[in-house]
């Protein structure tokens, strides 16, 4: 699970190659599949739109978003 610093956006990258992104009070606002090549991610939303991401120094940069790993013990 990845989350923005304000906690508004949560992005779950599942082991089966699917992702689920919640925004504010909208659970599953975006869903689709993703692939990883090195530290780069390619997203394909269920609507057909695409996006990219990159993990650098433990931070996920997804288009204009900056997400950090959510620790298991955090709410």
């Amino acid at each position: 699970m990845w989350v923005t610093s304000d906690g508004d956006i949560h992005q779950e990258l599942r082991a089966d190659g699917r992702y689920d992104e919640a925004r504010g009070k909208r659970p599953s606002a975006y869903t689709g599949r993703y692939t990883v090549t090195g530290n780069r991610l390619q997203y394909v939303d269920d609507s057909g739109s695409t996006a990219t991401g990159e993990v650098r120094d433990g931070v996920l940069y997804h288009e204009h978003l900056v997400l950090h790993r959510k620790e298991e013990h955090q709410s």
Side-chain angles (χ1 to χ4, degrees), residues 29-54:
Y30 297 98
T31 59
R33 55 186 161 69
Y34 73 96
T35 56
V36 179
T37 305
N39 63 336
R40 300 189 61 80
L41 290 88
Q42 179 68 39
Y43 297 84
V44 179
D45 190 86
D46 289 338
S47 70
S49 63
T50 62
T52 59
E54 183 176 11

Side-chain angles (χ1 to χ4, degrees), residues 4-69:
T4 54
S5 60
D6 63 4
D8 190 53
I9 299 172
H10 291 78
Q11 189 177 94
E12 179 183 9
L13 300 177
R14 299 178 183 161
D16 65 358
R18 298 278 304 162
Y19 73 90
D20 188 307
E21 184 173 298
R23 290 185 172 235
K25 295 182 182 197
R26 291 177 41 210
S28 300
Y30 297 98
T31 59
R33 55 186 161 69
Y34 73 96
T35 56
V36 179
T37 305
N39 63 336
R40 300 189 61 80
L41 290 88
Q42 179 68 39
Y43 297 84
V44 179
D45 190 86
D46 289 338
S47 70
S49 63
T50 62
T52 59
E54 183 176 11
V55 177
R56 294 189 313 259
D57 298 322
V59 177
L60 173 56
Y61 297 90
H62 172 72
E63 298 295 332
H64 66 281
L65 301 174
V66 177
L67 301 110
H68 300 271
R69 275 200 181 270

